[in-house]
Amino acid sequence: MNTAYGLAGVLLVVVATVLIGVIGRISRTTSDFYVASRTVTPLRNASAIGGEYLSAASFLGIAGLILAYGADMLWLPVGWTGGYLILLVLVSAPLRRSGAYTLPDFAEARLESMAVRRVASILVVLISWLYLLPQFQSAGLVLRTVTGAPVWTGGVLVAVVVAVNVLVGGMRSVTLVQAFQYWMKLTALAVPLVFLLLAWRYDGAPGLAEDAPPQFADRTTVSVGLGVTVDVADPVQVVVDGRVDGQTYAGSTVVLGPGRHHIAQNTSVTFPAGADVPHVSDRPASTDRQWAMPLDGHPHSLYATYSLILATFLGTMGLPHVLVRFYTNPDGRAARRTTVLVLSLLGAFYLLPAVYGALGRLYTPELLMTGRADAVVLTLPGRLIGGVGGDLLGALVTGGAVAAFLSTSSGITVSVAGVIAQDILRGGVRSFRAGTLLALVVPLALAIAARALPVADVVGLAFAVAASTFCPLLVLGVWWRRLTVPGALAGLIAGGTLAGTAVIVTIAAGPPAGLAGALLAEPAAWTVPIAFATMIVVSLCTPGRVPRGVARMMVRLHTPESLAVDRGTWRPKRV
Amino acid sequence: MAPGRVLVTGPRTRAVRRPSYPVTREIDEQTGLGEAYMRSLLRAQLRLAVGLCLVLAAVVIGLPLLFAVFPEVSEKAVLGIPLPWVVLGGLIYPWFVTCGWWYVRQAERNEDDFAELVDRPPSDDAP
């Protein structure tokens, strides 16, 4: 893609974000603390929630995973939307009525225990780090795709911009900015898609029903940015400029035999038309037909699907930047209605990435070889639509991607910095600043040190941890009177440790093959039931430790605000 | 009537005078009656929530099973697009929104019923 246009897109969004943050602070128009939340309309609120929720995983990652793995990955956006439906049905109005501003707030209010509050705070920080890590890696990918800059620069850029924005702009991501972000991301994805689909029809609307693996339609030169090991199925004659299997070539013809080959950094390999696309070594090579069908016969795909479903549907409520947005609703009923609006907005957005993934299978199959399928959304406009139009559309999607990880990263950083400042450090503005830095530096370091991972996979792991820890706490806390402090602690620690271990193994070493690998890569199917069971069983075993004010809390959580009843005097701590 | 006896009547009164405790006060004081009202509200809301979650679970768990056990279903195409893509990439989203909308209406109705029950003047005899 054209570097100049792409870079312009990136810079435009970055500058706009910083400016709006600074201006918002200077004019003090929109701090959500001071503005009466009644004046924020449900649509604006819902747009802000959607804008913050749609991260790089939604913008880039889904299309990349669908390109690589096919129909099974459709469950990912379904789960991310369905998670809001579950949230609506199970906890939305009660959470708003609790008055809690953060998840540790709710833990303390419901269980009247500082120990649970502290464990909740630690979990919030860990989940946030896990959520930020792929945003930084994804930023690195975008910057490398657009400008060729090394991968770590993208992450550093995002971290710096977010830090500036949060430190200068104050404690709350401005609702208006986040609302605008949703519509911008929707436009950035929808508009190019219209043109892409027109170009596809013009091309004769080729389908994906062949019983053959993806092939290069024309003679294609693939530039490998990061070293990668690929599997070649049939021998193919290629022209190499760089290093392959340890040997340097400068434009000479090489025959790649069947088997594994290592292609070093900054090498370009030119394939003839009709050649099969080699796949990255640890990815299965499917025929187009297998790709289009769910449960394509890969081992444990049914388990992986169910585990993914569980993680995404149950994890949404446990994400730190989700609960915070509830507070801007005036009451519990408004919270419910806003959540339905969010559902609609998310559903509208999630119709789009799958189409990019499918088009990518047709037109950018070389991404299967470079191992960065996440770049498909960025690469398609330039590939399908030539000339200035393609460059402009490419710049548009690039801007949308940058907006995606800036807005989500800001939202998460603000939420977690508040939690760090309040619960781990001493509280106050200096602690908030320290919290911001701590929230950003650790995932940035991890992002640079860890190997490149598909962004939607790591976000999925964050969902699995949230589903194994906060989902049981919230669901049981809202509906079950007999939840006790030891029960909550046991459940949080059990779920957190199990899911956390699976995450560490998957990220650090890559999942081992076979059933153990499937269990670790998608742990929710076993960690979530264990967490629930632990919480329930330990609570039943310690009936004396039920919080004393539980009846009052139930009144607070469930009665409509119009009734004049005593709801207790608990108020959240504010930074 | 016998001579000298006078029939004395007064304004009609109920045989038993009920104390005028509003139900909200019963709830605040966590009396048995208050608890009973709260439990009924929670039960109604929980039944609604769990019911919808079960329907959701049935669809969300059933679809992969359907595709696994009946691969012919996966191969049916609507307008050239395979059925799994049409459902999971398209139709399921409006269905989610419809479910959400329906839930909000039912939950609000539960709350309205509860509020009416609780805010009714305590002198009302009828159940």
Side-chain angles (χ1 to χ4, degrees):
Chain A
M1 74 155 12
N2 189 312
T3 303
Y5 281 91
L7 195 57
V10 171
L11 283 175
L12 204 66
V13 173
V14 165
V15 167
T17 307
V18 174
L19 270 180
I20 293 176
V22 169
I23 292 174
R25 168 67 154 188
I26 291 174
S27 62
R28 263 191 222 185
T29 50
T30 44
S31 166
D32 289 317
F33 275 60
Y34 303 117
V35 170
S37 38
R38 283 158 215 78
T39 65
V40 178
T41 66
L43 180 61
R44 187 182 291 182
N45 217 2
S47 304
I49 297 175
E52 220 170 43
Y53 189 66
L54 294 173
S55 72
S58 300
F59 202 87
L60 302 174
I62 295 176
L65 282 181
I66 288 185
L67 164 62
Y69 293 104
D72 281 336
M73 289 296 121
L74 287 170
W75 282 107
L76 203 56
V78 167
W80 287 343
T81 312
Y84 257 97
L85 182 57
I86 298 283
L87 188 157
L88 165 71
V89 166
L90 288 179
V91 297
S92 59
L95 274 182
R96 172 59 188 89
R97 289 176 179 147
S98 73
Y101 193 60
T102 62
L103 286 163
D105 274 345
F106 178 80
E108 184 204 339
R110 173 64 178 82
L111 289 160
E112 299 168 28
S113 153
M114 290 307 290
V116 181
R117 189 187 177 108
R118 281 199 202 100
V119 173
S121 307
I122 294 175
L123 284 169
V124 164
V125 174
L126 293 177
I127 292 174
S128 304
W129 282 345
L130 195 55
Y131 212 100
L132 283 173
L133 188 159
Q135 312 299 325
F136 292 142
Q137 284 198 334
S138 176
L141 170 70
V142 169
L143 223 60
R144 190 172 65 73
T145 307
V146 166
T147 65
V151 173
W152 56 266
T153 50
V156 170
L157 177 68
V158 171
V160 165
V161 172
V162 170
V164 165
N165 224 17
V166 171
L167 291 174
V168 171
M171 264 166 270
R172 291 289 293 118
S173 298
V174 167
T175 305
L176 187 63
V177 173
Q178 296 289 36
F180 166 73
Q181 295 276 22
Y182 167 79
W183 293 101
M184 201 223 128
K185 288 180 217 183
L186 184 70
T187 312
L189 213 55
V191 168
L193 191 61
V194 170
F195 291 100
L196 288 177
L197 287 174
L198 286 174
W200 172 70
R201 293 220 66 131
Y202 186 71
D203 197 28
L208 281 167
E210 312 282 309
D211 250 323
Q215 297 172 333
F216 291 108
D218 309 309
R219 188 178 164 77
T220 313
T221 304
V222 181
S223 309
V224 173
L226 281 173
V228 66
T229 310
V230 300
D231 285 334
V232 174
D234 295 322
V236 58
Q237 191 175 46
V238 298
V239 176
V240 178
D241 191 2
R243 280 167 65 92
V244 170
D245 292 329
Q247 280 202 293
T248 314
Y249 305 91
S252 40
T253 311
V254 178
V255 172
L256 292 176
R260 213 153 264 213
H261 298 274
H262 180 81
I263 305 178
Q265 207 161 333
N266 295 326
T267 306
S268 54
V269 183
T270 309
F271 288 83
D276 283 351
V277 178
H279 283 62
V280 175
S281 282
D282 47 14
R283 297 257 190 99
S286 333
T287 66
D288 282 348
R289 208 180 156 75
Q290 284 178 315
W291 174 89
M293 294 294 122
L295 304 167
D296 43 12
H298 294 299
H300 314 298
S301 56
L302 192 61
Y303 165 81
T305 302
Y306 278 134
S307 196
L308 184 83
I309 288 173
L310 209 63
T312 50
F313 274 82
L314 298 183
T316 304
M317 66 173 83
L319 296 177
H321 58 310
V322 167
L323 174 58
V324 176
R325 286 269 159 219
F326 271 80
Y327 200 75
T328 50
N329 289 298
D331 61 22
R333 290 195 171 204
R336 279 194 200 115
R337 291 175 178 196
T338 305
T339 310
V340 174
L341 264 179
V342 173
L343 263 178
S344 319
L345 294 178
L346 291 180
F349 181 89
Y350 282 132
L351 293 171
L352 307 175
V355 187
Y356 275 90
L359 285 174
R361 185 91 176 172
L362 281 169
Y363 293 106
T364 58
E366 77 276 6
L367 293 173
L368 293 166
M369 188 181 129
T370 60
R372 297 319 304 266
D374 288 348
V376 61
V377 170
L378 304 169
T379 336
L380 268 176
R383 183 66 52 85
L384 265 181
I385 302 165
V388 180
D391 287 335
L392 281 175
L393 290 175
L396 183 59
V397 283
T398 307
V402 173
F405 42 75
L406 277 183
S407 61
T408 305
S409 304
S410 305
I412 295 180
T413 305
V414 162
S415 310
V416 80
V419 167
I420 291 178
Q422 252 177 30
D423 296 310
I424 298 177
L425 301 175
R426 234 166 296 128
V429 180
R430 285 189 64 187
S431 296
F432 184 80
R433 294 200 178 128
T436 305
L437 291 176
L438 195 61
L440 289 170
V441 163
V442 173
L444 180 62
L446 286 174
I448 296 175
R451 60 203 179 92
L453 299 148
V455 63
D457 275 350
V458 184
V459 167
L461 287 172
F463 270 80
V465 178
S468 313
T469 52
F470 286 115
C471 173
L473 182 69
L474 291 175
V475 171
L476 293 175
V478 164
W479 294 104
W480 197 41
R481 288 166 195 264
R482 284 191 279 178
L483 183 66
T484 66
V485 172
L489 280 173
L492 286 177
I493 293 175
T497 319
L498 290 175
T501 313
V503 165
I504 290 174
V505 171
T506 307
I507 290 184
L515 182 63
L519 287 175
L520 287 174
E522 302 280 1
W526 50 280
T527 56
V528 172
I530 291 179
F532 265 98
T534 311
M535 225 178 250
I536 293 174
V537 166
V538 175
S539 292
L540 290 174
C541 291
T542 56
R545 300 285 305 272
V546 170
R548 284 175 48 226
V550 66
R552 184 83 62 221
M553 179 52 70
M554 285 298 160
V555 170
R556 186 184 183 127
L557 295 178
H558 294 279
T559 52
E561 284 86 342
S562 56
L563 285 180
V565 285
D566 179 6
R567 291 186 171 83
T569 51
W570 180 84
R571 289 284 175 273
K573 277 198 279 182
R574 302 275 195 95
V575 178
Chain B
M1 232 166 29
R5 284 190 177 269
V6 176
L7 182 63
V8 177
T9 57
R12 288 192 55 193
T13 56
R14 288 191 200 85
V16 175
R17 185 154 242 150
R18 239 185 242 136
S20 54
Y21 264 33
V23 180
T24 49
R25 199 167 154 193
E26 304 264 4
I27 293 176
D28 285 347
E29 295 179 3
Q30 294 173 24
T31 63
L33 190 64
E35 290 293 287
Y37 273 99
M38 280 307 299
R39 279 182 202 278
S40 82
L41 172 67
L42 251 79
R43 210 178 12 245
Q45 297 286 41
L46 187 61
R47 205 174 283 160
L48 172 66
V50 169
L52 188 59
C53 284
L54 284 178
V55 169
L56 213 66
V59 168
V60 161
I61 293 177
L63 276 176
L65 217 54
L66 182 70
F67 295 141
V69 174
F70 298 109
E72 320 84 66
V73 174
S74 315
E75 292 174 19
K76 282 207 181 36
V78 175
L79 294 175
I81 306 174
L83 194 65
W85 291 73
V86 172
V87 170
L88 290 181
L91 294 178
I92 203 166
Y93 294 107
W95 184 66
F96 279 164
V97 176
T98 314
C99 287
W101 213 80
W102 179 84
Y103 166 78
V104 170
R105 286 189 51 180
Q106 297 300 109
E108 290 190 353
R109 194 195 294 178
N110 281 350
E111 287 181 356
D112 289 340
D113 289 348
F114 178 76
E116 207 187 286
L117 207 64
V118 161
D119 263 344
R120 237 181 6 186
S123 54
D124 207 329
D125 241 342

